Amino acid sequence: MIKEKVIEILVDELGVDAEEVVESANIQDDLGADSLAIVEIVMAFEDEFDIKIPEEDAAKMITVKDIIDYLEKEVG
């Protein structure tokens, strides 16, 4: 459930194909997110999962797997 939502949000926010959003994909290098896109993605995750993601945690989200792992830990 969390993984599917992460993929859906990244596809919506970055305009990439779902096939490109693999766990090993680097959000910036592979999916083309710039700093503004990253802020918008973090806000989308916060809205979707009803959590607050501190900046220092968001900065550690480098790959799709990092995001999934973080959200699974925080949301359960």
Side-chain angles (χ1 to χ4, degrees):
M1 151 70 187
I2 288 177
K3 180 178 179 179
E4 289 77 14
K5 262 304 174 196
V6 166
I7 292 170
E8 183 182 312
I9 288 170
L10 290 172
V11 166
D12 287 347
E13 294 289 334
L14 299 175
V16 295
D17 292 328
E19 297 80 45
E20 293 178 71
V21 185
V22 294
E23 288 192 8
S24 61
N26 181 301
I27 302 167
Q28 290 179 294
D29 297 342
D30 299 324
L31 302 180
D34 59 17
S35 56
L36 178 61
I38 290 171
V39 169
E40 291 174 350
I41 290 166
V42 169
M43 287 172 31
F45 291 140
E46 289 177 334
D47 289 345
E48 178 64 38
F49 297 104
D50 196 30
I51 61 171
K52 179 75 181 111
I53 301 172
E55 259 184 65
E56 60 270 15
D57 290 346
K60 296 176 192 165
M61 295 181 189
I62 308 298
T63 66
V64 174
K65 182 165 177 28
D66 293 338
I67 297 168
I68 294 168
D69 290 347
Y70 178 83
L71 291 171
E72 285 178 343
K73 185 180 69 144
E74 294 299 314
V75 179

